[in-house]
Amino acid sequence: VQLQASGGGSVQAGGSLRLSCTASGRSFVTYVLGWFRQAPGKEREFVASVNRGGDNSEYEDSVKGRFTISRDRAKNTMYLQMNSLKPEDTAVYYCAAAPTVDDAVFTKKFLFDYWGQGTLVTVSS
C-alpha cells in the first residue's frame, strides 16, 4: 500500500484545513487508518484514527472537538478536517494504515505498517 498525503498549507490561527490521504496499490477497506504529526524537535504523536467501518474513531485530547477524521471507501481516501487551528498544531502530518481483521481502532504508531510522506501544516498567530 502506498499512501499519499496532501492538503497541508499555511493558515492563520482559527482557520481550517482539510488533509487527504489516498491509497494506491490496493484497497484499504480492511485497514485501520490514522493521522500522526511531528513538530520540529518533537516525537511523532498520534492525532486521530478511524476503524475499518468508519463508525468508530479516536482523537488525541488536544484536537477533540476541532478535528474530524473520516474515510471514503469508494475513493480509497481518508480525510482530516481541521478547524479552529492553533499555532501548536503546526507540524508535518502523516497518514498511516494498518491491516486488521476486526473493527479495532489503533492509537499507537508502532501498530501502523504503512506511512505516507507527510504534509506540512503551519499555523501562524
Side-chain angles (χ1 to χ4, degrees):
V1 175
Q2 290 81 46
L3 303 177
Q4 180 73 38
S6 62
S10 297
V11 296
Q12 291 191 326
S16 298
L17 283 173
R18 188 177 80 157
L19 306 183
S20 300
C21 177
T22 301
S24 61
R26 63 174 296 171
S27 169
F28 62 23
V29 295
T30 58
Y31 287 65
V32 175
L33 304 177
W35 288 98
F36 291 77
R37 66 186 179 187
Q38 187 167 16
K42 294 189 176 181
E43 295 286 322
R44 190 172 301 187
E45 66 174 4
F46 169 75
V47 175
S49 60
V50 62
N51 67 343
R52 296 189 316 176
D55 56 357
N56 191 18
S57 56
E58 293 282 348
Y59 295 91
E60 194 270 327
D61 285 346
S62 70
V63 307
K64 285 180 181 177
R66 300 188 298 121
F67 291 10
T68 303
I69 190 171
S70 61
R71 61 190 299 167
D72 186 325
R73 295 161 69 91
K75 294 182 178 179
N76 228 25
T77 299
M78 168 179 64
Y79 304 98
L80 185 69
Q81 178 66 44
M82 306 186 295
N83 299 327
S84 302
L85 282 161
K86 304 176 181 180
E88 51 264 43
D89 295 317
T90 295
V92 176
Y93 283 70
Y94 297 89
C95 56
T100 181
V101 298
D102 58 24
D103 275 337
V105 182
F106 301 156
T107 63
K108 304 297 185 184
K109 59 179 181 270
F110 75 90
L111 293 173
F112 288 83
D113 299 312
Y114 303 98
W115 293 84
Q117 86 290 358
T119 185
L120 177 63
V121 172
T122 303
V123 185
S124 58
S125 58

